[in-house]
Amino acid sequence: MKPIPEALKASIGQRVDLIDTPSLVVDLDAMDRNIQRMADFARKHQVRWRPHAKMHKSAELALLMQRAGAQGVCVQKVAEAEALAAGGVNDIYISNQVVAMPKLQRVARLAALLAARGGRLAIAVDHLEGIERLAETMAQVGAPLPREGHWAAGDSTLIDVFVEIDVGQGRCGVPPGEAAVPLALAVARSRGLRFAGLQAYHGRAQHLPGATDRRDAMAAVVRAASHTRDLIEAAGVPVPLITGSGTGTLVHEAASGVYGELQAGSFLFMDADYARNEREPAQPAFEHALFIKTQVVSVRENVHAVCDAGHKSHAIDCGLPTVALLPPDRGLRYANGGDEHGILHPDSPKSRLPALGRMLWLIPGHCDPTVNLHDFMIGVRGGLAMGVVERIIRVDARGALT
């Protein structure tokens, strides 16, 4: 675990204007409001929420949300699960397929570790061979019965297994319907595995800009998930849970009566890409809480200004960051300046360029890969204009790619 640098420790208690640039900063007040709104929403709709920790990659933030009512966390990588477990998180779902035997051995060891701590590990599958490999590996963490040479219920660590159906993402998962039934049956009869339900996530729908388009897409998803559940249960296997959802569509899964768990994660920080989408009236009013603090290092009169936050400080897969305007700013547009720089242009004739040395705040286009570029986030209390540094948040799973 990477130690917090002394300079960062020394910044605790200092005003925001003294934070070095470029830095990744969390508005703790806005983040807390987002957590409360999500907790209230889940409680109102009587669904569980399991935030996706691949977004923030921090055990501290995962545990903060669990104290507010979150079920646990989702991750996409075994290494992310290991990093969060090392930070004290005990309820982890790897919502992804793992088929390599060395990785499966890590999964089995982690499942045993979490079980010993009173927690649990879950994983997704979408292939019979993947189920066989997982069961084989899980058996290795059990204890063989003396002289009998076989395994019995209770002798091996259990792992919860979700069968993933492809409800529109076009990535992993089997088609909804009949194709999922043999997988559920295989999991149910495999020693060391416990069939936990269906993984049904439509990632593309999260970013459809129009509310009507998202609503139509999710109506089809709900029908597919419900139909698949009915077929599996008709084959004699109960489906305890259907899990999925994201920040862009959570109102639909929550209201469906089909989904029992929401995996939304970006609500915690809310990036610029989500802000561009038409908001559903029923969706909680989540706020931007993640920012890149940057400074103007060069100004060309009446042409542009240059800041010190380039692509090494933020991801651009969902577009460039936007400038969070604080008085007396009126309108600035961020443009590509390369690895180390951003180019700032006035976005209207009434806008003016910021002065040399001015501090600015950028809202990243995509929070997940932006966080992965930083070892630490600086938590600020009291707002971006007059706040102070309250704590340093470690990005425990930064670079956890395996």
Side-chain angles (χ1 to χ4, degrees), residues 46-57:
Q46 298 182 323
V47 291
R48 305 194 309 191
W49 54 298
R50 179 180 292 277
H52 227 307
K54 75 180 180 66
M55 192 277 291
H56 56 76
K57 301 174 179 63

Side-chain angles (χ1 to χ4, degrees), residues 239-270:
V239 179
L241 181 69
I242 297 179
T243 182
S245 184
T247 298
T249 65
L250 59 86
V251 296
H252 305 295
E253 287 94 344
S256 69
V258 171
Y259 281 75
E261 185 175 81
L262 310 178
Q263 297 174 4
S266 296
F267 77 90
L268 184 69
F269 289 157
M270 287 302 288

Side-chain angles (χ1 to χ4, degrees), residues 81-353:
E82 292 167 332
L84 295 182
V89 180
N90 290 330
D91 191 335
I92 302 173
Y93 171 32
I94 304 172
S95 54
N96 200 359
Q97 284 66 36
V98 179
V99 296
M101 294 307 290
K103 284 190 178 70
L104 286 171
Q105 290 166 3
R106 289 161 57 193
V107 167
R109 289 193 293 268
L110 183 58
L113 170 68
L114 293 179
R117 291 180 356 194
R120 72 156 193 162
L121 184 67
I123 196 167
V125 298
D126 70 354
H127 198 283
L128 286 172
E129 183 178 347
I131 295 169
E132 293 169 1
R133 292 186 181 196
L134 177 62
E136 175 187 343
T137 311
M138 290 302 299
Q140 297 172 10
V141 305
L145 296 177
R147 294 185 301 277
E148 296 182 59
H150 63 82
W151 307 79
D155 292 321
S156 59
T157 299
L158 281 173
I159 185 170
D160 283 356
V161 178
F162 289 89
V163 170
E164 181 167 7
I165 56 175
D166 180 4
V167 289
Q169 177 70 11
R171 196 167 56 191
C172 296
V174 295
E178 293 286 355
V181 176
L183 299 184
L185 291 171
V187 172
R189 64 173 175 254
S190 296
R191 197 173 302 282
L193 311 186
R194 178 167 49 204
F195 179 61
L198 295 174
Q199 162 78 10
Y201 172 68
H202 190 343
R204 293 181 179 179
Q206 310 306 317
H207 304 283
L208 293 173
T212 300
D213 291 337
R214 293 197 302 275
R215 192 177 308 123
D216 292 345
M218 294 313 300
V221 168
V222 169
R223 288 194 298 270
S226 177
H227 176 60
T228 306
R229 177 194 60 192
D230 293 345
L231 291 175
I232 293 172
E233 292 190 335
V237 179
V239 179
L241 181 69
I242 297 179
T243 182
S245 184
T247 298
T249 65
L250 59 86
V251 296
H252 305 295
E253 287 94 344
S256 69
V258 171
Y259 281 75
E261 185 175 81
L262 310 178
Q263 297 174 4
S266 296
F267 77 90
L268 184 69
F269 289 157
M270 287 302 288
D271 51 37
D273 184 57
Y274 269 114
R276 285 188 281 266
N277 294 341
E278 180 185 1
R279 178 173 164 264
E280 290 275 358
Q283 181 175 336
F286 299 123
E287 305 172 46
H288 292 303
L290 185 73
F291 301 87
I292 300 149
K293 188 189 177 192
T294 185
Q295 184 177 31
V296 175
V297 295
S298 178
V299 177
R300 186 175 301 176
E301 196 72 24
N302 299 320
V303 179
H304 65 237
V306 180
C307 68
D308 62 356
H311 301 331
K312 287 182 180 178
S313 65
H314 58 260
I316 61 172
D317 60 305
C318 290
L320 295 171
T322 59
V323 182
L325 300 178
L326 299 174
D329 297 316
R330 292 185 180 176
L332 292 171
R333 177 174 54 85
Y334 182 99
N336 185 350
D339 291 350
E340 312 294 349
H341 302 97
I343 310 300
L344 301 169
H345 299 281
D347 65 1
S348 76
K350 294 183 178 180
S351 301
R352 61 179 182 274
L353 291 173

